[in-house]
Amino acid sequence: MKKQNIFWKLYQDDPILNPNFFSPILADPSFLFPEQSPDGLWHLFLHTIFGIKHYTSEDGIDWDKSRYVVWSALRPFIYFEGGTYYLYYEKPKWLHVPFSWFPYRKWKSRIEVRTSSDLKNWSKPSTVIIPKFDFHKDKQFGESVSNPCLVKYGDRYRLYFSTNLAYVKDCGFNEPKFITVAESKSPLGPFSYFTGPILAPNDMDPFCNLAAGSIKVIRWKERFLGFQNGIFWNPERNESCSAILFLHSLDGLQFERINQTPILGPTGKGWKASHVYACDVRFSEAENLFIMYFNARNRPHWSVGREAIGLFVGKVEEGVGMTQRGRGTSKVYG
């Protein structure tokens, strides 16, 4: 098979979407290409402190006014198949997101899904994942399942999700500790849970020593590619950070890093100074590009930090040598 190089680059240095006065964060983007949508537009879902918002765009860069589609929910993922749109998201206790900093409120969440045929009218929610095993729960911080990502392989569906909680002291809030999966014959479940994590923090890992964060997985060239935002302590800056790690797997369960260092990380200044967080990635056959929307944070603590949305692209080149060409180059065998 031909060798593949993927050359990653920021579309622009500035965010493509900024938070406003009412919510300091825009986070966890998930999107659809125009060819997947009923109106030929780009569609973007993300969350604020109040719930999940839905944006549209003609070019994927300039986004029109949004509307809320699910209140008191976060971390959306949009999936399309057979004329049906599936919107997965984490659903915590009512009003828990804006008050999650309160020290005596234990977190408790589930993953829900709603369906639509037009991206305008949505069904009632259906619960697909709940905290079930001990590794989903923490006695001090609560019970959490979050960051859903659905991948089809063969005639089955695999739902990747984050679980459990790890407290990040300088941020003043929890991050997802483990990543695991569940499988089903239908996007609506029922799902069979794996009984342990597939990714976990490691004290010796410089880019994932506090929490595993989240992962988005796609099928590409008979492989599974993973984009994980590990949470780690940076001793040089004496603060927590997050960066996107590029992984691959033959079976979608045992992942290895393609690049030993992150393909996208914090810059120490500006809008992505401290954390580059969750992302969504899709491959455009027409453009031969990976498109990644991500959110990043400028300062760690919840009381001062703001989160905005950025765009990262990966260009695929075939038949070239495997020599790295500049920072951000990633290698994959096709």
PDB file of all heavy atoms in Angstrom, residues 168-199:
ATOM      1  N   VAL A 168      -9.025  18.757  38.660  1.00  0.00           N
ATOM      2  CA  VAL A 168      -7.854  19.510  38.200  1.00  0.00           C
ATOM      3  C   VAL A 168      -7.806  20.792  39.042  1.00  0.00           C
ATOM      4  O   VAL A 168      -8.608  21.706  38.852  1.00  0.00           O
ATOM      5  CB  VAL A 168      -7.936  19.823  36.699  1.00  0.00           C
ATOM      6  CG1 VAL A 168      -6.676  20.554  36.239  1.00  0.00           C
ATOM      7  CG2 VAL A 168      -8.120  18.534  35.898  1.00  0.00           C
ATOM      8  N   LYS A 169      -6.870  20.835  39.944  1.00  0.00           N
ATOM      9  CA  LYS A 169      -6.869  21.848  41.005  1.00  0.00           C
ATOM     10  C   LYS A 169      -6.806  23.273  40.477  1.00  0.00           C
ATOM     11  O   LYS A 169      -7.558  24.146  40.916  1.00  0.00           O
ATOM     12  CB  LYS A 169      -5.712  21.592  41.965  1.00  0.00           C
ATOM     13  CG  LYS A 169      -5.734  22.482  43.195  1.00  0.00           C
ATOM     14  CD  LYS A 169      -4.632  22.094  44.178  1.00  0.00           C
ATOM     15  CE  LYS A 169      -4.677  22.980  45.420  1.00  0.00           C
ATOM     16  NZ  LYS A 169      -3.609  22.599  46.386  1.00  0.00           N
ATOM     17  N   ASP A 170      -5.910  23.545  39.525  1.00  0.00           N
ATOM     18  CA  ASP A 170      -5.757  24.939  39.085  1.00  0.00           C
ATOM     19  C   ASP A 170      -6.904  25.392  38.184  1.00  0.00           C
ATOM     20  O   ASP A 170      -7.072  26.586  37.956  1.00  0.00           O
ATOM     21  CB  ASP A 170      -4.406  25.176  38.423  1.00  0.00           C
ATOM     22  CG  ASP A 170      -4.245  24.434  37.112  1.00  0.00           C
ATOM     23  OD1 ASP A 170      -4.913  23.389  36.918  1.00  0.00           O
ATOM     24  OD2 ASP A 170      -3.447  24.879  36.270  1.00  0.00           O
ATOM     25  N   CYS A 171      -7.698  24.432  37.666  1.00  0.00           N
ATOM     26  CA  CYS A 171      -8.902  24.787  36.909  1.00  0.00           C
ATOM     27  C   CYS A 171     -10.106  24.963  37.824  1.00  0.00           C
ATOM     28  O   CYS A 171     -11.029  25.728  37.503  1.00  0.00           O
ATOM     29  CB  CYS A 171      -9.213  23.718  35.869  1.00  0.00           C
ATOM     30  SG  CYS A 171      -8.042  23.649  34.499  1.00  0.00           S
ATOM     31  N   GLY A 172     -10.123  24.241  38.934  1.00  0.00           N
ATOM     32  CA  GLY A 172     -11.246  24.326  39.858  1.00  0.00           C
ATOM     33  C   GLY A 172     -12.439  23.486  39.427  1.00  0.00           C
ATOM     34  O   GLY A 172     -13.541  23.672  39.928  1.00  0.00           O
ATOM     35  N   PHE A 173     -12.234  22.549  38.491  1.00  0.00           N
ATOM     36  CA  PHE A 173     -13.322  21.669  38.066  1.00  0.00           C
ATOM     37  C   PHE A 173     -12.754  20.301  37.674  1.00  0.00           C
ATOM     38  O   PHE A 173     -11.528  20.112  37.610  1.00  0.00           O
ATOM     39  CB  PHE A 173     -14.134  22.271  36.917  1.00  0.00           C
ATOM     40  CG  PHE A 173     -13.332  22.748  35.744  1.00  0.00           C
ATOM     41  CD1 PHE A 173     -12.810  21.865  34.799  1.00  0.00           C
ATOM     42  CD2 PHE A 173     -13.084  24.107  35.555  1.00  0.00           C
ATOM     43  CE1 PHE A 173     -12.079  22.305  33.713  1.00  0.00           C
ATOM     44  CE2 PHE A 173     -12.360  24.567  34.465  1.00  0.00           C
ATOM     45  CZ  PHE A 173     -11.852  23.652  33.544  1.00  0.00           C
ATOM     46  N   ASN A 174     -13.651  19.355  37.409  1.00  0.00           N
ATOM     47  CA  ASN A 174     -13.256  17.997  37.054  1.00  0.00           C
ATOM     48  C   ASN A 174     -13.126  17.826  35.546  1.00  0.00           C
ATOM     49  O   ASN A 174     -13.805  18.501  34.774  1.00  0.00           O
ATOM     50  CB  ASN A 174     -14.292  16.989  37.574  1.00  0.00           C
ATOM     51  CG  ASN A 174     -14.370  16.976  39.082  1.00  0.00           C
ATOM     52  OD1 ASN A 174     -13.352  16.876  39.763  1.00  0.00           O
ATOM     53  ND2 ASN A 174     -15.575  17.087  39.620  1.00  0.00           N
ATOM     54  N   GLU A 175     -12.297  16.873  35.159  1.00  0.00           N
ATOM     55  CA  GLU A 175     -12.175  16.448  33.766  1.00  0.00           C
ATOM     56  C   GLU A 175     -12.425  14.945  33.685  1.00  0.00           C
ATOM     57  O   GLU A 175     -12.253  14.234  34.680  1.00  0.00           O
ATOM     58  CB  GLU A 175     -10.780  16.766  33.215  1.00  0.00           C
ATOM     59  CG  GLU A 175     -10.472  18.237  33.060  1.00  0.00           C
ATOM     60  CD  GLU A 175     -11.207  18.887  31.899  1.00  0.00           C
ATOM     61  OE1 GLU A 175     -12.029  18.210  31.243  1.00  0.00           O
ATOM     62  OE2 GLU A 175     -10.962  20.078  31.640  1.00  0.00           O
ATOM     63  N   PRO A 176     -12.832  14.443  32.505  1.00  0.00           N
ATOM     64  CA  PRO A 176     -13.074  13.001  32.376  1.00  0.00           C
ATOM     65  C   PRO A 176     -11.788  12.198  32.573  1.00  0.00           C
ATOM     66  O   PRO A 176     -10.770  12.476  31.951  1.00  0.00           O
ATOM     67  CB  PRO A 176     -13.603  12.856  30.942  1.00  0.00           C
ATOM     68  CG  PRO A 176     -14.087  14.224  30.563  1.00  0.00           C
ATOM     69  CD  PRO A 176     -13.190  15.167  31.273  1.00  0.00           C
ATOM     70  N   LYS A 177     -11.869  11.174  33.417  1.00  0.00           N
ATOM     71  CA  LYS A 177     -10.678  10.424  33.810  1.00  0.00           C
ATOM     72  C   LYS A 177     -10.330   9.293  32.850  1.00  0.00           C
ATOM     73  O   LYS A 177      -9.161   9.083  32.525  1.00  0.00           O
ATOM     74  CB  LYS A 177     -10.870   9.860  35.215  1.00  0.00           C
ATOM     75  CG  LYS A 177      -9.624   9.206  35.800  1.00  0.00           C
ATOM     76  CD  LYS A 177      -9.853   8.807  37.243  1.00  0.00           C
ATOM     77  CE  LYS A 177      -8.573   8.235  37.860  1.00  0.00           C
ATOM     78  NZ  LYS A 177      -8.789   7.860  39.283  1.00  0.00           N
ATOM     79  N   PHE A 178     -11.336   8.530  32.405  1.00  0.00           N
ATOM     80  CA  PHE A 178     -11.112   7.360  31.553  1.00  0.00           C
ATOM     81  C   PHE A 178     -11.872   7.501  30.236  1.00  0.00           C
ATOM     82  O   PHE A 178     -12.807   8.292  30.125  1.00  0.00           O
ATOM     83  CB  PHE A 178     -11.590   6.076  32.241  1.00  0.00           C
ATOM     84  CG  PHE A 178     -10.937   5.790  33.564  1.00  0.00           C
ATOM     85  CD1 PHE A 178     -11.712   5.633  34.708  1.00  0.00           C
ATOM     86  CD2 PHE A 178      -9.570   5.642  33.669  1.00  0.00           C
ATOM     87  CE1 PHE A 178     -11.130   5.359  35.934  1.00  0.00           C
ATOM     88  CE2 PHE A 178      -8.969   5.362  34.885  1.00  0.00           C
ATOM     89  CZ  PHE A 178      -9.748   5.220  36.026  1.00  0.00           C
ATOM     90  N   ILE A 179     -11.497   6.664  29.260  1.00  0.00           N
ATOM     91  CA  ILE A 179     -12.242   6.513  28.012  1.00  0.00           C
ATOM     92  C   ILE A 179     -12.560   5.033  27.837  1.00  0.00           C
ATOM     93  O   ILE A 179     -11.693   4.171  28.042  1.00  0.00           O
ATOM     94  CB  ILE A 179     -11.439   7.043  26.814  1.00  0.00           C
ATOM     95  CG1 ILE A 179     -11.250   8.563  26.924  1.00  0.00           C
ATOM     96  CG2 ILE A 179     -12.136   6.702  25.500  1.00  0.00           C
ATOM     97  CD1 ILE A 179     -10.280   9.146  25.926  1.00  0.00           C
ATOM     98  N   THR A 180     -13.801   4.734  27.460  1.00  0.00           N
ATOM     99  CA  THR A 180     -14.236   3.359  27.282  1.00  0.00           C
ATOM    100  C   THR A 180     -15.195   3.276  26.094  1.00  0.00           C
ATOM    101  O   THR A 180     -15.372   4.271  25.382  1.00  0.00           O
ATOM    102  CB  THR A 180     -14.876   2.819  28.575  1.00  0.00           C
ATOM    103  OG1 THR A 180     -15.139   1.416  28.420  1.00  0.00           O
ATOM    104  CG2 THR A 180     -16.159   3.558  28.905  1.00  0.00           C
ATOM    105  N   VAL A 181     -15.794   2.107  25.868  1.00  0.00           N
ATOM    106  CA  VAL A 181     -16.683   1.920  24.727  1.00  0.00           C
ATOM    107  C   VAL A 181     -17.857   1.034  25.105  1.00  0.00           C
ATOM    108  O   VAL A 181     -17.838   0.307  26.099  1.00  0.00           O
ATOM    109  CB  VAL A 181     -15.957   1.295  23.504  1.00  0.00           C
ATOM    110  CG1 VAL A 181     -14.886   2.212  22.976  1.00  0.00           C
ATOM    111  CG2 VAL A 181     -15.371  -0.062  23.870  1.00  0.00           C
ATOM    112  N   ALA A 182     -18.890   1.109  24.273  1.00  0.00           N
ATOM    113  CA  ALA A 182     -20.039   0.197  24.352  1.00  0.00           C
ATOM    114  C   ALA A 182     -20.446  -0.119  22.915  1.00  0.00           C
ATOM    115  O   ALA A 182     -20.202   0.670  21.996  1.00  0.00           O
ATOM    116  CB  ALA A 182     -21.190   0.833  25.121  1.00  0.00           C
ATOM    117  N   GLU A 183     -21.092  -1.265  22.701  1.00  0.00           N
ATOM    118  CA  GLU A 183     -21.443  -1.691  21.348  1.00  0.00           C
ATOM    119  C   GLU A 183     -22.909  -2.075  21.246  1.00  0.00           C
ATOM    120  O   GLU A 183     -23.528  -2.486  22.231  1.00  0.00           O
ATOM    121  CB  GLU A 183     -20.561  -2.865  20.913  1.00  0.00           C
ATOM    122  CG  GLU A 183     -19.104  -2.498  20.762  1.00  0.00           C
ATOM    123  CD  GLU A 183     -18.283  -3.627  20.174  1.00  0.00           C
ATOM    124  OE1 GLU A 183     -18.795  -4.754  20.036  1.00  0.00           O
ATOM    125  OE2 GLU A 183     -17.100  -3.383  19.840  1.00  0.00           O
ATOM    126  N   SER A 184     -23.447  -1.926  20.019  1.00  0.00           N
ATOM    127  CA  SER A 184     -24.854  -2.226  19.782  1.00  0.00           C
ATOM    128  C   SER A 184     -25.060  -2.571  18.312  1.00  0.00           C
ATOM    129  O   SER A 184     -24.210  -2.287  17.461  1.00  0.00           O
ATOM    130  CB  SER A 184     -25.724  -1.021  20.155  1.00  0.00           C
ATOM    131  OG  SER A 184     -27.079  -1.242  19.817  1.00  0.00           O
ATOM    132  N   LYS A 185     -26.219  -3.143  18.010  1.00  0.00           N
ATOM    133  CA  LYS A 185     -26.608  -3.390  16.625  1.00  0.00           C
ATOM    134  C   LYS A 185     -27.409  -2.231  16.044  1.00  0.00           C
ATOM    135  O   LYS A 185     -27.787  -2.261  14.877  1.00  0.00           O
ATOM    136  CB  LYS A 185     -27.424  -4.682  16.541  1.00  0.00           C
ATOM    137  CG  LYS A 185     -26.636  -5.936  16.878  1.00  0.00           C
ATOM    138  CD  LYS A 185     -27.498  -7.182  16.740  1.00  0.00           C
ATOM    139  CE  LYS A 185     -26.687  -8.440  17.058  1.00  0.00           C
ATOM    140  NZ  LYS A 185     -27.511  -9.675  16.928  1.00  0.00           N
ATOM    141  N   SER A 186     -27.669  -1.204  16.863  1.00  0.00           N
ATOM    142  CA  SER A 186     -28.446  -0.055  16.432  1.00  0.00           C
ATOM    143  C   SER A 186     -27.859   1.215  17.038  1.00  0.00           C
ATOM    144  O   SER A 186     -27.355   1.186  18.169  1.00  0.00           O
ATOM    145  CB  SER A 186     -29.904  -0.201  16.875  1.00  0.00           C
ATOM    146  OG  SER A 186     -30.603   1.035  16.762  1.00  0.00           O
ATOM    147  N   PRO A 187     -27.920   2.356  16.321  1.00  0.00           N
ATOM    148  CA  PRO A 187     -27.475   3.619  16.923  1.00  0.00           C
ATOM    149  C   PRO A 187     -28.262   3.997  18.183  1.00  0.00           C
ATOM    150  O   PRO A 187     -27.791   4.814  18.976  1.00  0.00           O
ATOM    151  CB  PRO A 187     -27.712   4.644  15.800  1.00  0.00           C
ATOM    152  CG  PRO A 187     -27.758   3.859  14.553  1.00  0.00           C
ATOM    153  CD  PRO A 187     -28.356   2.535  14.915  1.00  0.00           C
ATOM    154  N   LEU A 188     -29.445   3.419  18.335  1.00  0.00           N
ATOM    155  CA  LEU A 188     -30.289   3.732  19.493  1.00  0.00           C
ATOM    156  C   LEU A 188     -30.124   2.732  20.636  1.00  0.00           C
ATOM    157  O   LEU A 188     -30.790   2.849  21.660  1.00  0.00           O
ATOM    158  CB  LEU A 188     -31.761   3.771  19.059  1.00  0.00           C
ATOM    159  CG  LEU A 188     -32.113   4.829  18.009  1.00  0.00           C
ATOM    160  CD1 LEU A 188     -33.567   4.694  17.582  1.00  0.00           C
ATOM    161  CD2 LEU A 188     -31.840   6.230  18.528  1.00  0.00           C
ATOM    162  N   GLY A 189     -29.232   1.750  20.462  1.00  0.00           N
ATOM    163  CA  GLY A 189     -29.030   0.760  21.502  1.00  0.00           C
ATOM    164  C   GLY A 189     -30.017  -0.388  21.404  1.00  0.00           C
ATOM    165  O   GLY A 189     -30.740  -0.512  20.411  1.00  0.00           O
ATOM    166  N   PRO A 190     -30.052  -1.232  22.435  1.00  0.00           N
ATOM    167  CA  PRO A 190     -29.280  -1.146  23.684  1.00  0.00           C
ATOM    168  C   PRO A 190     -27.802  -1.450  23.472  1.00  0.00           C
ATOM    169  O   PRO A 190     -27.447  -2.219  22.590  1.00  0.00           O
ATOM    170  CB  PRO A 190     -29.944  -2.207  24.571  1.00  0.00           C
ATOM    171  CG  PRO A 190     -30.477  -3.220  23.605  1.00  0.00           C
ATOM    172  CD  PRO A 190     -30.923  -2.436  22.407  1.00  0.00           C
ATOM    173  N   PHE A 191     -26.961  -0.823  24.315  1.00  0.00           N
ATOM    174  CA  PHE A 191     -25.528  -0.961  24.208  1.00  0.00           C
ATOM    175  C   PHE A 191     -24.992  -1.918  25.267  1.00  0.00           C
ATOM    176  O   PHE A 191     -25.412  -1.886  26.425  1.00  0.00           O
ATOM    177  CB  PHE A 191     -24.851   0.399  24.374  1.00  0.00           C
ATOM    178  CG  PHE A 191     -24.972   1.278  23.146  1.00  0.00           C
ATOM    179  CD1 PHE A 191     -26.047   2.137  22.994  1.00  0.00           C
ATOM    180  CD2 PHE A 191     -24.009   1.230  22.149  1.00  0.00           C
ATOM    181  CE1 PHE A 191     -26.153   2.945  21.865  1.00  0.00           C
ATOM    182  CE2 PHE A 191     -24.109   2.030  21.020  1.00  0.00           C
ATOM    183  CZ  PHE A 191     -25.182   2.887  20.876  1.00  0.00           C
ATOM    184  N   SER A 192     -24.036  -2.743  24.832  1.00  0.00           N
ATOM    185  CA  SER A 192     -23.310  -3.623  25.744  1.00  0.00           C
ATOM    186  C   SER A 192     -22.021  -2.920  26.152  1.00  0.00           C
ATOM    187  O   SER A 192     -21.205  -2.551  25.297  1.00  0.00           O
ATOM    188  CB  SER A 192     -22.987  -4.955  25.067  1.00  0.00           C
ATOM    189  OG  SER A 192     -24.168  -5.638  24.694  1.00  0.00           O
ATOM    190  N   TYR A 193     -21.827  -2.748  27.444  1.00  0.00           N
ATOM    191  CA  TYR A 193     -20.699  -1.986  27.967  1.00  0.00           C
ATOM    192  C   TYR A 193     -19.431  -2.842  28.028  1.00  0.00           C
ATOM    193  O   TYR A 193     -19.484  -4.022  28.361  1.00  0.00           O
ATOM    194  CB  TYR A 193     -20.979  -1.506  29.390  1.00  0.00           C
ATOM    195  CG  TYR A 193     -22.127  -0.551  29.569  1.00  0.00           C
ATOM    196  CD1 TYR A 193     -23.446  -0.928  29.321  1.00  0.00           C
ATOM    197  CD2 TYR A 193     -21.896   0.738  30.055  1.00  0.00           C
ATOM    198  CE1 TYR A 193     -24.497  -0.044  29.523  1.00  0.00           C
ATOM    199  CE2 TYR A 193     -22.946   1.625  30.271  1.00  0.00           C
ATOM    200  CZ  TYR A 193     -24.240   1.224  29.994  1.00  0.00           C
ATOM    201  OH  TYR A 193     -25.281   2.095  30.202  1.00  0.00           O
ATOM    202  N   PHE A 194     -18.286  -2.221  27.733  1.00  0.00           N
ATOM    203  CA  PHE A 194     -17.016  -2.828  28.094  1.00  0.00           C
ATOM    204  C   PHE A 194     -16.825  -2.623  29.598  1.00  0.00           C
ATOM    205  O   PHE A 194     -17.233  -1.601  30.148  1.00  0.00           O
ATOM    206  CB  PHE A 194     -15.865  -2.186  27.317  1.00  0.00           C
ATOM    207  CG  PHE A 194     -15.684  -2.766  25.945  1.00  0.00           C
ATOM    208  CD1 PHE A 194     -16.772  -2.964  25.113  1.00  0.00           C
ATOM    209  CD2 PHE A 194     -14.431  -3.125  25.476  1.00  0.00           C
ATOM    210  CE1 PHE A 194     -16.628  -3.505  23.838  1.00  0.00           C
ATOM    211  CE2 PHE A 194     -14.266  -3.663  24.211  1.00  0.00           C
ATOM    212  CZ  PHE A 194     -15.361  -3.859  23.394  1.00  0.00           C
ATOM    213  N   THR A 195     -16.163  -3.576  30.237  1.00  0.00           N
ATOM    214  CA  THR A 195     -16.082  -3.562  31.701  1.00  0.00           C
ATOM    215  C   THR A 195     -14.846  -2.843  32.239  1.00  0.00           C
ATOM    216  O   THR A 195     -14.548  -2.930  33.431  1.00  0.00           O
ATOM    217  CB  THR A 195     -16.111  -4.993  32.245  1.00  0.00           C
ATOM    218  OG1 THR A 195     -15.036  -5.741  31.661  1.00  0.00           O
ATOM    219  CG2 THR A 195     -17.437  -5.670  31.909  1.00  0.00           C
ATOM    220  N   GLY A 196     -14.133  -2.150  31.364  1.00  0.00           N
ATOM    221  CA  GLY A 196     -12.973  -1.386  31.803  1.00  0.00           C
ATOM    222  C   GLY A 196     -12.632  -0.317  30.787  1.00  0.00           C
ATOM    223  O   GLY A 196     -13.184  -0.277  29.690  1.00  0.00           O
ATOM    224  N   PRO A 197     -11.710   0.564  31.121  1.00  0.00           N
ATOM    225  CA  PRO A 197     -11.310   1.622  30.182  1.00  0.00           C
ATOM    226  C   PRO A 197     -10.406   1.094  29.084  1.00  0.00           C
ATOM    227  O   PRO A 197      -9.708   0.088  29.264  1.00  0.00           O
ATOM    228  CB  PRO A 197     -10.579   2.626  31.078  1.00  0.00           C
ATOM    229  CG  PRO A 197     -10.116   1.852  32.255  1.00  0.00           C
ATOM    230  CD  PRO A 197     -11.072   0.704  32.437  1.00  0.00           C
ATOM    231  N   ILE A 198     -10.412   1.781  27.929  1.00  0.00           N
ATOM    232  CA  ILE A 198      -9.441   1.489  26.876  1.00  0.00           C
ATOM    233  C   ILE A 198      -8.308   2.516  26.886  1.00  0.00           C
ATOM    234  O   ILE A 198      -7.243   2.255  26.332  1.00  0.00           O
ATOM    235  CB  ILE A 198     -10.093   1.427  25.484  1.00  0.00           C
ATOM    236  CG1 ILE A 198     -10.731   2.766  25.103  1.00  0.00           C
ATOM    237  CG2 ILE A 198     -11.120   0.300  25.408  1.00  0.00           C
ATOM    238  CD1 ILE A 198     -11.142   2.858  23.638  1.00  0.00           C
ATOM    239  N   LEU A 199      -8.545   3.678  27.514  1.00  0.00           N
ATOM    240  CA  LEU A 199      -7.506   4.694  27.694  1.00  0.00           C
ATOM    241  C   LEU A 199      -7.626   5.261  29.094  1.00  0.00           C
ATOM    242  O   LEU A 199      -8.740   5.537  29.573  1.00  0.00           O
ATOM    243  CB  LEU A 199      -7.642   5.808  26.657  1.00  0.00           C
ATOM    244  CG  LEU A 199      -7.332   5.428  25.201  1.00  0.00           C
ATOM    245  CD1 LEU A 199      -7.801   6.520  24.245  1.00  0.00           C
ATOM    246  CD2 LEU A 199      -5.846   5.160  25.010  1.00  0.00           C
TER     247      LEU A 199
END
